[in-house]
Amino acid sequence: MIPNLGQLEESVLLLVMIVEEAYGVSVAQAYEEKTDNTISIPAIHTVLKRLEKKGMLRSWMGKATAERGGRRKRLFEATPYGYQVISQLRENRIKLWSLIPKFN
């Protein structure tokens, strides 16, 4: 059974898989570039934490960088479970879309 994921959770999970170095700001920028919608950094952080709590992401602290004034970034990557969930969601979406007569 596929766990419940909201549309924003699904989008953020996909973006973490797409973005090379996934952290709050890079995911928010990718969200805006790929969806043409704006989103706040705190909203992205909330979703990242929620996905990590559900076991779909894992995080760790990166190295401090000068560009961030010596602060470290919390980096994220999808877990095997996250990839499994997104794959199941994709399969279900394809099945549903194939049932719409006007699109076939």
Side-chain angles (χ1 to χ4, degrees), residues 28-95:
Q29 289 171 340
Y31 182 85
E32 292 182 9
E33 290 171 13
K34 307 293 185 206
T35 68
D36 290 329
N37 290 310
T38 60
I39 190 164
S40 69
I41 303 295
I44 289 291
H45 280 288
T46 298
V47 175
L48 289 169
K49 288 176 188 171
R50 192 179 314 141
L51 290 170
E52 186 173 27
K53 191 172 182 178
K54 291 181 177 182
M56 295 175 209
L57 296 179
R58 74 175 197 95
S59 71
W60 67 96
M61 294 305 294
K63 294 180 180 177
T65 61
E67 73 175 300
R68 293 176 45 88
R71 293 182 305 158
R72 299 170 16 167
K73 299 174 189 170
R74 178 166 294 281
L75 302 169
F76 291 87
E77 72 177 6
T79 63
Y81 178 61
Y83 278 97
Q84 178 187 351
V85 168
I86 210 72
S87 176
Q88 290 173 338
L89 285 171
R90 181 177 183 267
E91 288 176 23
N92 281 357
R93 300 245 190 292
I94 289 171
K95 284 180 194 171

